[in-house]
Amino acid sequence: MYSNLWLDEKVKDNGASVELNGYDEASKRVINALNELKTSKALSGLKIKASCSKVPALSDEGYRLAFENGVYTIFTNTDAALVYAVFRLINLIRLKADLKDPITEIPKNPLRMLNHWDNMDGSIERGYSGDSFFFEDNDIVINERTTDYVRAVASLGYNGVVINNVNVKGAACDLINERFIGKVKELSDLFASYGVKLYLSLNYAAPIEDETVKSADPFDEKVIAWWQKKMAYIYENIPDFAGFLVKADSEGRPGPFTYGRTQADGANMLAKAINPYGGIIIWRCFVYNCKQDWRDLKTDRARAAYDYFHDLDGEFLDNVILQIKNGPMDFQVREPVAPLFGDMSSTNQMIEFQIAQEYTGQQRHVCYLIPWFKEVLSFDTYAVGEGSNVKDIVSGKTFSRKLAGMCAVTNTGNDFNWTGHDLAAANLYGFGRLCFNPDLSSEEIAEEWIKLTFNDDTKVVSNIKTILMMSWPAYEKYNAPLGIGWMCSPAYHYGPDPDGYEYSVWGTYHKADHKYIGVERNSTGTGYSTLYREPLKTMYEKPETTPDELMLFFHRMPYDYKLKSGKTIIQHVYDTHFEGAEDVEKMNALWLELKGLVSEDSFDRVKERFDHQVWHSKEWRDVINSYFYRKTLIPDEKGRPLY
Ligand code: GCV
């Protein structure tokens, strides 16, 4: 039993009396929901009545929960929503909500997904919590942990999971072939029984391997016929298969560009083939030249997704949705919001975040990412005037799109605690809650998670909440400063290496010399800032109006430039790096106060991670500070040690 998620303890029979009205009692979802109601410890002895209503306002996935005349009542329109409602009811009772005031929750985002980057040999690309629990030795694994995983994600209302890495290689190419289709179906059925849809990542170049086709040109009749036949085969075997996620023309992956076609040509070819069966194609916008030469001053990786996709607005079929990373680069601790959001009013789009902490401490550092995601979601794009926030664009509200939503690259693995760092599970929990309701506050989400995972002791809740809320700002402080990003090792994306990317082939440069740092991204530079709407365009044009935290993303600046905070850039670097490491000491002290108040195992595991983080944040501090000191020879005003 993997019990250290937020799921309630199960008992054999909790003695609850449960009445179901109007549901198909043979449906696996209903059976599973009933089973949760009858085995949840928190519901012991309670009376519960669930009714399948036809309340249009609840739509397909919403629910109403109440406590009326001694009975807890649930209303939903579907059995998938019943599953989400049951888990929520259990959690609310555990959180001591009385439900005397009924609550109605309807998910704001139609798609609420997790993307696994799991490989079939069991490894996980950018995985920091053990190996895959879906795959081992080039085979699919289905066991008790799989069910626990699906229960956990369904309990948060996630409704889709992509099980394999977007870089589809080797055995993963066979997930759509006879070799694995039976097991994929088994997994898909298990997911469906908890109201979660299974998606696969697809190898765009798959038909190249077929001797009779040898191409992936989306305009080639043989390629088109190959995919039509393949989709027919998949749906014969898995009639409710949800669809595919595609990474094309990116980081060495083939795509339509290889044949002189556009991204829309490629996506639409697949979309047409899958359309008769109701499936969707999720097409990633993470397309860029990863081998930019340092002498090339025109190319700007930050512009890439915009430049490749912007002109294609309106050309994608209705069952295609573009998946856009939250920032224009790649999940750095700080980036601007990608300018594509709100820019394509006639194209379905969803946002891609990363809760796998690839660049944010790899689940060895605590880094609660929900406050960061909330900043992104509440960013005003001005797409249709003031108030055009990212959250309304990706939920489909702004442009009235049905296919829309949010996903995150997930942070799970087969480590006992699922997420490597016990506190990293707050991101898995928090992201699911945010997908359902982006208006929840980071503090609210943290508090729920702490109470459900640990306990509701005042000190436990207060200390862990403080740790979580301090963690992302702290990580930003001791990492690369002012939005410049990328000062980590290029191979592992971990640990300080200020010039690592500068002198590698990966084409992501900060161009620091002894006087300046940064790439000019305004209208006189790469023009990136001009991709935004007004007033953002004007705001990012000049350093004086650019927010401090993004100064070095947008501008090439002298180190003695005075920020709005009143500090020079160089003094800001020194101060934040000292502060960041001190913040980690404070978080560590708060954790140490919890000895005896949380389980010993959990206490020890987190303590061990903090031991590392305390040391490693100092290494970040010293390497980054010394780098800047040696470049500039400007001393720290406060005379602290620089090496
Ligand atoms: C799955 C980054 C990661 C890669 C990842 C890629 C992507 O570059 O480092 O490991 O590949 O993003 O999002 O496709």
Side-chain angles (χ1 to χ4, degrees):
M1 179 68 187
Y2 308 93
S3 59
N4 63 328
L5 286 175
W6 51 86
L7 292 174
D8 188 23
E9 201 178 315
K10 276 188 159 208
V11 291
K12 220 166 174 207
D13 178 3
N14 61 7
S17 94
V18 182
E19 186 186 319
L20 295 181
N21 294 310
Y23 291 101
D24 169 7
E25 293 189 27
S27 144
K28 283 216 175 115
R29 282 176 204 160
V30 176
I31 296 170
N32 281 334
L34 190 63
N35 185 34
E36 297 294 334
L37 291 172
K38 295 208 155 188
T39 58
S40 153
K41 192 172 172 201
L43 303 188
S44 295
L46 301 184
K47 285 191 181 145
I48 299 143
K49 189 166 149 186
S51 308
C52 189
S53 51
K54 288 281 165 270
V55 183
L58 287 182
S59 68
D60 281 354
E61 298 188 298
Y63 46 78
R64 179 183 182 275
L65 305 172
F67 183 65
E68 291 157 344
N69 306 321
V71 180
Y72 287 92
T73 60
I74 301 174
F75 287 97
T76 72
N77 288 341
T78 64
D79 53 13
L82 177 66
V83 177
Y84 310 143
V86 161
F87 280 114
R88 188 72 189 135
L89 176 70
I90 296 171
N91 282 347
L92 284 168
I93 289 176
R94 292 174 65 209
L95 291 166
K96 305 195 168 78
D98 65 17
L99 291 178
K100 290 207 173 87
D101 291 326
I103 64 156
T104 298
E105 293 183 332
I106 298 157
K108 297 257 169 53
N109 286 286
L111 295 175
R112 306 178 299 280
M113 298 182 59
L114 290 170
N115 291 182
H116 285 257
W117 286 354
D118 294 25
N119 300 314
M120 289 207 64
D121 61 2
S123 63
I124 301 180
E125 182 154 346
R126 315 302 174 188
Y128 311 107
S129 45
D131 286 338
S132 171
F133 47 79
F134 286 133
F135 307 117
E136 197 181 307
D137 295 335
N138 293 322
D139 205 349
I140 295 179
V141 178
I142 304 174
N143 58 25
E144 192 194 353
R145 194 175 179 92
T146 331
T147 308
D148 281 344
Y149 169 78
V150 186
R151 289 178 60 232
V153 301
S155 77
L156 300 170
Y158 285 111
N159 65 359
V161 173
V162 184
I163 59 169
N164 64 311
N165 189 356
V166 283
N167 294 324
V168 186
K169 293 178 193 158
C173 299
D174 279 338
L175 287 168
I176 51 172
N177 296 335
E178 206 186 336
R179 181 172 171 201
F180 292 123
I181 199 83
K183 283 196 179 166
V184 174
K185 172 167 170 52
E186 204 182 314
L187 208 49
S188 169
D189 287 349
L190 173 63
F191 280 27
S193 72
Y194 285 94
V196 181
K197 289 184 176 166
L198 178 141
Y199 295 77
L200 292 174
S201 293
L202 161 158
N203 173 13
Y204 182 81
I208 293 179
E209 309 296 320
D210 186 325
E211 281 299 305
T212 63
V213 183
K214 285 193 172 156
S215 169
D217 180 352
F219 286 3
D220 183 328
E221 289 302 330
K222 282 199 219 145
V223 173
I224 295 170
W226 192 93
W227 279 114
Q228 283 170 342
K229 201 168 153 207
K230 183 55 72 186
M231 297 299 180
Y233 171 77
I234 293 166
Y235 280 89
E236 235 166 67
N237 285 279
I238 315 175
D240 58 352
F241 180 68
F244 288 106
L245 172 63
V246 190
K247 172 176 180 177
D249 287 312
S250 173
E251 301 187 330
R253 308 306 299 152
F257 283 166
T258 320
Y259 304 91
R261 314 296 182 198
T262 68
Q263 296 295 300
D265 296 334
N268 289 344
M269 180 270 295
L270 292 169
K272 271 186 207 151
I274 205 171
N275 193 42
Y277 314 100
I280 65 167
I281 297 297
I282 305 173
W283 191 267
R284 292 178 91 222
C285 295
F286 187 58
V287 178
Y288 73 101
N289 170 7
C290 61
K291 300 273 160 71
Q292 183 190 335
D293 189 278
W294 63 277
R295 282 157 288 230
D296 168 5
L297 300 179
K298 291 230 165 63
T299 310
D300 180 3
R301 176 172 173 179
R303 293 190 58 120
Y306 188 96
D307 288 344
Y308 290 131
F309 286 89
H310 159 79
D311 288 344
L312 300 176
D313 188 25
E315 290 187 21
F316 292 91
L317 293 176
D318 282 348
N319 63 331
V320 175
I321 177 164
L322 299 185
Q323 183 167 301
I324 307 167
K325 286 193 181 183
N326 63 274
M329 296 302 239
D330 194 8
F331 303 135
Q332 300 299 293
V333 70
R334 172 73 69 178
E335 292 184 41
V337 168
L340 261 186
F341 292 113
D343 183 70
M344 300 177 80
S345 56
S346 307
T347 304
N348 299 322
Q349 50 182 267
M350 68 190 292
I351 193 164
E352 177 178 347
F353 288 107
Q354 192 188 43
I355 57 174
Q357 291 172 230
E358 177 177 357
Y359 293 98
T360 48
Q362 304 201 346
Q363 288 143 246
R364 296 181 77 189
H365 294 226
V366 57
C367 193
Y368 179 52
L369 291 161
I370 303 305
W372 169 220
F373 298 168
K374 284 203 53 98
E375 267 194 46
V376 173
L377 291 169
S378 56
F379 180 79
D380 194 347
T381 66
Y382 293 87
V384 289
E386 200 175 343
S388 312
N389 299 336
V390 170
K391 67 180 168 197
D392 294 329
I393 289 161
V394 301
S395 72
K397 187 173 160 199
T398 307
F399 299 118
S400 308
R401 311 216 60 97
K402 286 202 185 87
L403 199 52
M406 290 172 41
C407 75
V409 179
T410 194
N411 59 358
T412 48
N414 67 3
D415 273 1
F416 172 80
N417 66 354
W418 295 87
T419 51
H421 199 309
D422 282 36
L423 301 185
N427 287 325
L428 180 63
Y429 182 93
F431 188 70
R433 297 286 292 133
L434 215 52
C435 288
F436 222 79
N437 182 4
D439 294 325
L440 294 171
S441 75
S442 306
E443 290 88 346
E444 240 174 309
I445 294 174
E447 196 166 320
E448 272 189 9
W449 174 77
I450 297 162
K451 288 180 177 166
L452 295 171
T453 305
F454 296 96
N455 56 60
D456 61 2
D457 177 277
T458 322
K459 196 173 184 63
V460 169
V461 175
S462 150
N463 284 23
I464 301 182
K465 196 158 90 177
T466 308
I467 292 171
L468 292 177
M469 294 306 294
M470 282 178 78
S471 61
W472 168 62
Y475 197 81
E476 182 180 12
K477 285 183 203 169
Y478 58 80
N479 209 270
L482 299 167
I484 194 88
W486 304 104
M487 288 193 161
C488 58
S489 98
Y492 306 107
H493 300 174
Y494 194 68
D497 187 354
D499 274 340
Y501 272 91
E502 200 58 22
Y503 298 111
S504 85
V505 292
W506 274 92
T508 310
Y509 309 105
H510 56 61
K511 303 206 163 144
D513 62 22
H514 67 295
K515 283 194 165 155
Y516 299 91
I517 179 168
V519 174
E520 197 59 69
R521 291 198 159 98
N522 64 8
S523 63
T524 59
T526 69
Y528 170 80
S529 68
T530 68
L531 307 180
Y532 292 90
R533 284 191 162 70
E534 288 296 6
L536 302 171
K537 201 193 282 199
T538 302
M539 179 174 84
Y540 293 138
E541 175 69 16
K542 293 195 184 133
E544 303 87 78
T545 45
T546 298
D548 279 356
E549 69 273 14
L550 287 170
M551 190 58 74
L552 295 182
F553 187 94
F554 280 100
H555 302 288
R556 180 162 180 78
M557 298 302 289
Y559 298 101
D560 59 0
Y561 177 82
K562 241 192 194 154
L563 295 164
K564 281 172 261 326
S565 66
K567 293 182 184 180
T568 58
I569 287 182
I570 190 73
Q571 195 55 40
H572 171 94
V573 171
Y574 298 148
D575 285 352
T576 49
H577 284 75
F578 282 105
E579 259 170 52
E582 282 159 21
D583 286 353
V584 179
E585 298 271 18
K586 287 183 197 148
M587 293 191 281
N588 182 37
L590 286 169
W591 184 258
L592 295 178
E593 285 175 15
L594 300 182
K595 192 166 175 61
L597 297 175
V598 297
S599 84
E600 207 178 318
D601 285 355
S602 201
F603 179 82
D604 289 345
R605 278 196 300 266
V606 174
K607 181 180 175 304
E608 194 195 311
R609 303 260 153 170
F610 265 127
D611 288 345
H612 171 75
Q613 190 179 352
V614 166
W615 166 80
H616 202 224
S617 58
K618 289 188 180 131
E619 169 154 298
W620 267 101
R621 174 195 71 191
D622 293 342
V623 173
I624 300 292
N625 278 347
S626 302
Y627 175 84
F628 280 94
Y629 175 57
R630 296 278 298 271
K631 277 266 179 239
T632 64
L633 292 181
I634 303 174
D636 170 30
E637 282 170 2
K638 297 179 187 156
R640 291 162 292 193
L642 304 171
Y643 305 102

